[in-house]
Amino acid sequence: MPVPSTAGRLLIACPDARGIVAAVAGFISEHGGNLLDAEQHTDHEHGEFVMRVVFDPSGCDPDDRMFEGAWARLVQRHRMRWRIRWSHVRKRMAILVGRQPHCLQELLWRVGTGELGAEIVFVASNHPDLRETVEHAGIPFHHHPIEDGPGAQARQEADLVARVDAADVDLVVLARYMRVLGPAMLDGRAERIINIHHSFLPAFAGGDPYRQAYDRGVKLIGATSHYVTEVLDDGPIIAQDVTTVDHHDSVADLRRRGRDLERLVLARAVAAHCEDRILVTGGKTVVFR
Amino acid sequence: MPVPSTAGRLLIACPDARGIVAAVAGFISEHGGNLLDAEQHTDHEHGEFVMRVVFDPSGCDPDDRMFEGAWARLVQRHRMRWRIRWSHVRKRMAILVGRQPHCLQELLWRVGTGELGAEIVFVASNHPDLRETVEHAGIPFHHHPIEDGPGAQARQEADLVARVDAADVDLVVLARYMRVLGPAMLDGRAERIINIHHSFLPAFAGGDPYRQAYDRGVKLIGATSHYVTEVLDDGPIIAQDVTTVDHHDSVADLRRRGRDLERLVLARAVAAHCEDRILVTGGKTVVFR
Amino acid sequence: MPVPSTAGRLLIACPDARGIVAAVAGFISEHGGNLLDAEQHTDHEHGEFVMRVVFDPSGCDPDDRMFEGAWARLVQRHRMRWRIRWSHVRKRMAILVGRQPHCLQELLWRVGTGELGAEIVFVASNHPDLRETVEHAGIPFHHHPIEDGPGAQARQEADLVARVDAADVDLVVLARYMRVLGPAMLDGRAERIINIHHSFLPAFAGGDPYRQAYDRGVKLIGATSHYVTEVLDDGPIIAQDVTTVDHHDSVADLRRRGRDLERLVLARAVAAHCEDRILVTGGKTVVFR
Amino acid sequence: MPVPSTAGRLLIACPDARGIVAAVAGFISEHGGNLLDAEQHTDHEHGEFVMRVVFDPSGCDPDDRMFEGAWARLVQRHRMRWRIRWSHVRKRMAILVGRQPHCLQELLWRVGTGELGAEIVFVASNHPDLRETVEHAGIPFHHHPIEDGPGAQARQEADLVARVDAADVDLVVLARYMRVLGPAMLDGRAERIINIHHSFLPAFAGGDPYRQAYDRGVKLIGATSHYVTEVLDDGPIIAQDVTTVDHHDSVADLRRRGRDLERLVLARAVAAHCEDRILVTGGKTVVFR
């Protein structure tokens, strides 16, 4: 039995009520689609229902127009927030980096092997250091330095925003970009910008978390990937992981060991986004399997 | 929104086909039930569909008769293997032990706190050592020693089987029982006997796995909980976990450290069974979340 | 080659300098002792040297008087902080509990099997709930309720302190005691009181950390065992661990799953203390293997 | 206090006896060296003592001649196996690959960042696929195809052996080479060839371990890095790790997820070798911290 070459991914959130699964599964079935995977969950504390349905549209058009008419009435009745995405449409990703290559390289690899189901439209940085790495992979690199003088950072960010807008980007990944983004970039891009923070948030938010972790003497260090919001290091968490450390580890050791965490946690978060497995509700993510 | 006090747990396996989710969800919805959680999966390699549905039966009778009539036709059409269980019906568990208390104690605790949703009907052993531990918890303890002489072991097992039969037991847990069971106990009890093996199966099947692990110099030791079949240590695996070890660890250290693994892995497997989250297909388990 | 039945455990911290290991190993060797295990480490950032030596004293007296004379001169020359403990002297532990049994039971169990090398002198609580559990294990239980009215809590703590003093206790373990200790208990007991906090500190210090973790939407929850200081949840961390959670987990689920973490992390910290594997330096622990 | 720019790494194994640590530490101290880190361990089962000492040779010559004279007498008295390595001498590594790039890329990267303290002298393969990847990193790539006809494989291996010999290589890494090596390569290279096997050995030795793991229905998959011996997948294990899998994972998923394990486990093993932290005794490794 072959794996279908395209699949619809339908994400739904609405107040909990009877019959939603039956209604959604029935709708897809009636339109000739075949459910491949469905995961739903009810948050009893908030009375909210969330669902992700993956279906083979072979009997119907892989077309957003399927979700008009009868679907619109279902949406209205259940007051659904929803979106449909098709697996054959690859996400368009821009990556912002600083000087450190490891997170960038991890994404270049995974896009290169095809496992991410995404394409990197461009990489931009306020430093020129990683140009060669990026261009060798056949991807455009744009250097957006931050000049001296008043307003320089705002101008640089405005240029970056223009570039992101022009490129019709689905996702901006901050792969150790090391700059705080302003409203010009954030506005209208909720749940479209993913950052990797090099600590187990909410512990050690802000600058130099490995130094903070060292000084506190923790026995595990972590990395956290999250959507960016206007509050620093406070957006919805997508993925986290930790690794054990001990008194042998200097701050430099924590940085070195943390790099392995950062790249894997960021890659996991980007994969979840690209596979349409994330739903944000109440400031938190539901990450479907 | 309150968590309902009872829930139906419906488990289904059948050849993959269109519309099964819609049909099942529709069936429950039409009978006044409300889906609380559903997880389904298609194994493309074998073309098999598996599903677990948890539903609030408040609008209908929490009664197996619901699954007659229309349901029977659905079963026939899709050639389903299926079962329904109700969460308010606590599993009746018998535990067989040897001399080591740790796995037994873990189960006593978790049953005691109510988190397992099961009751321990009795504990039996070929040794008297753990009588006091068991009886202090208010649970009957039966000593079934293995006498000397030909046929003694078969007689002991026949007595045990009679006891299990008389007690109307849903589940037999071998909590470090250290005896190989014969066909008298195994027959008719497929997927009803859970064992804990103190290695990461299939590595180190058979006797004294910690010694085997020590001699091989592995860097992780494991524990495996599985349903018992007639082939030693070969039944469907339910849960596994590992912990790191190194050259500091003697065989005695491995045994001591392994105990923590064994009790947690066994507890996890027993919980999955008691919550009706396991489906066996193709000699392997699907363990729903 | 037999494992010796007693061993000296020598812990040393001093400014880094040449020849310390040779001097210490030579001292033990000259007194007829035999090194079984030695671990030393230099913290280059602070120029501090720490060392733990385990030795078989069979050729000498397992006696603190060995550490006079020549040893005192070594101590003075290297400005050492040091202590010697003998493995056959079991630590005397008092446990303070609230209403939750899981951490207490874990310690009762591990002391019972002998693996902790400690004895529980008494258990005290501001609630009577766990009396039966404790007394069944043959250990005295003291109920120190907190009466109403001004000064009641201070009086209760004074009573507790008197009891701890009278019992000649090496270690006080707060096994989910749920009260903040005042200076009467803390003074003179630095590195002698171990607490278990049910989060990955420094994240979620203070009250109800599982609720905090739930609201923040973290993907891992943790537990932290630490020495108690006058600043809440801020003392030197001894052990930490985490487990993965996701959107399926309610606050109640986090509490239930956290219990397994808490008891293992606390047990690990208490074991490290009882085996004299902890040295505090610069507000952080060195936990030797 | 600066970290010294070179360090001696002394590895010792001998029958357990009194005074070895004192003798070794004294020797180094008397020659003007300063111990930075020492780890020793006694295996009571076999009566064997192992030790690794790292020392700053600043007061003496970083020179192997230091280990003559008095040292030779110490070696003889204690029947030591030993070796000395200097941290400023970078290991010369050859890498053999097949078609899969992930393990190779991980090593290229870690060598590139300097964290491995090694240099890659060349990469060779029986396939041409990875030439571009290797040459882009500025490293020679040699294609050694296996021709048709009798004796072809032996001739290819003889060529490879000649190349390894000519390049004065300290370490051969099989980064998913997918060929069984013959005696021409193995002879005289004990503990100098590291392989990555894509399972948790000893489970699933031999071909296609992910398929084996899938068919057995394990709940964790693993990777194992080990020194190569003449028995397939049986050499001393250096590093192992696992990751959880479940019924959602197809064989292709296991392969994809296993890649992350393989590259990290191999990198960890190669780092341990390059930092002279491995001692083989009794067919097992001691991996010092």
Side-chain angles (χ1 to χ4, degrees), chain A residues 37 101-103 105-106 109-110 113 115 132 136 246 248-249 256-257 259-260 263-264 289, chain D residues 37 101-102 105-106 109-110 113 115 132-133 136 246 248-249 256-257 259-260 263-264 289:
Chain A
D37 233 320
H102 57 285
C103 287
Q105 280 180 314
E106 187 74 30
W109 280 6
R110 290 185 191 249
T113 63
E115 92 179 46
E132 209 275 333
H136 176 69
D246 69 15
H248 291 86
D249 295 295
R256 181 178 51 75
R257 303 191 54 194
R259 286 201 298 262
D260 288 347
R263 52 193 182 115
L264 292 178
R289 216 208 100 88
Chain D
D37 232 320
H102 56 286
Q105 281 180 312
E106 188 75 29
W109 183 1
R110 290 185 191 250
T113 64
E115 91 179 48
E132 210 275 335
T133 299
H136 176 71
D246 69 17
H248 291 86
D249 295 296
R256 183 177 50 74
R257 302 191 55 194
R259 286 200 299 262
D260 288 347
R263 53 193 180 113
L264 291 178
R289 216 208 100 89

Side-chain angles (χ1 to χ4, degrees), chain C residues 66-268:
Chain C
M66 173 178 165
F67 293 91
E68 295 170 358
W71 180 253
R73 288 188 292 279
L74 208 60
V75 164
Q76 199 169 21
R77 183 178 342 132
H78 289 291
R79 288 175 290 147
M80 290 180 183
R81 290 187 294 132
W82 69 283
R83 63 180 197 266
I84 175 73
R85 296 289 181 276
W86 302 97
S87 68
H88 69 283
V89 182
R90 310 172 85 202
K91 297 283 182 293
R92 294 173 59 80
M93 189 194 312
I95 302 178
L96 305 189
V97 292
R99 281 178 153 140
Q100 293 198 52
H102 57 285
C103 287
L104 170 68
Q105 280 179 312
E106 187 75 30
L107 294 174
L108 288 173
W109 184 2
R110 289 185 192 250
V111 168
T113 63
E115 92 179 46
L116 262 186
E119 61 184 310
I120 300 172
V121 185
F122 66 82
V123 176
S125 178
N126 50 334
H127 295 287
D129 309 42
L130 300 174
R131 175 182 296 279
E132 209 275 334
T133 300
V134 173
E135 292 184 344
H136 176 70
I139 292 167
F141 177 89
H142 304 299
H143 182 203
H144 285 253
I146 300 176
E147 314 289 346
D148 291 336
Q153 180 163 356
R155 280 195 304 278
Q156 187 251 18
E157 189 162 321
D159 288 350
L160 271 180
V161 168
R163 196 176 286 285
V164 168
D165 281 342
D168 190 21
V169 157
D170 295 298
L171 175 66
V172 177
V173 179
L174 310 184
R176 299 297 310 264
Y177 179 53
M178 311 303 281
R179 309 291 308 180
V180 177
L181 299 181
M185 185 64 93
L186 296 176
D187 284 357
R189 259 178 277 274
E191 299 157 35
R192 296 212 165 201
I193 308 178
I194 292 180
N195 185 42
I196 178 74
H197 183 78
H198 38 313
S199 85
F200 182 78
L201 287 174
F204 312 131
D208 209 350
Y210 290 126
R211 162 56 65 180
Q212 292 184 59
Y214 177 84
D215 289 341
R216 182 64 184 89
V218 288
K219 302 304 183 188
L220 298 166
I221 56 166
T224 303
S225 197
H226 62 96
Y227 284 125
V228 177
T229 59
E230 67 278 8
V231 181
L232 183 65
D233 298 331
D234 192 54
I237 292 168
I238 305 169
Q240 299 190 291
D241 212 342
V242 295
T243 193
T244 55
V245 296
D246 69 16
H247 59 275
H248 291 86
D249 295 296
S250 64
V251 176
D253 292 329
L254 299 190
R255 285 197 185 102
R256 182 178 50 74
R257 303 191 54 196
R259 287 200 299 261
D260 288 347
L261 273 181
E262 292 163 29
R263 53 193 180 112
L264 291 178
V265 169
L266 179 60
R268 219 182 292 158

Side-chain angles (χ1 to χ4, degrees), chain A residues 22-35 66, chain B residues 18-23:
Chain A
V24 171
F27 173 86
I28 287 169
S29 193
E30 284 156 25
H31 284 72
N34 187 30
L35 254 73
M66 171 178 165
Chain B
R18 288 165 184 278
I20 301 175
V21 174

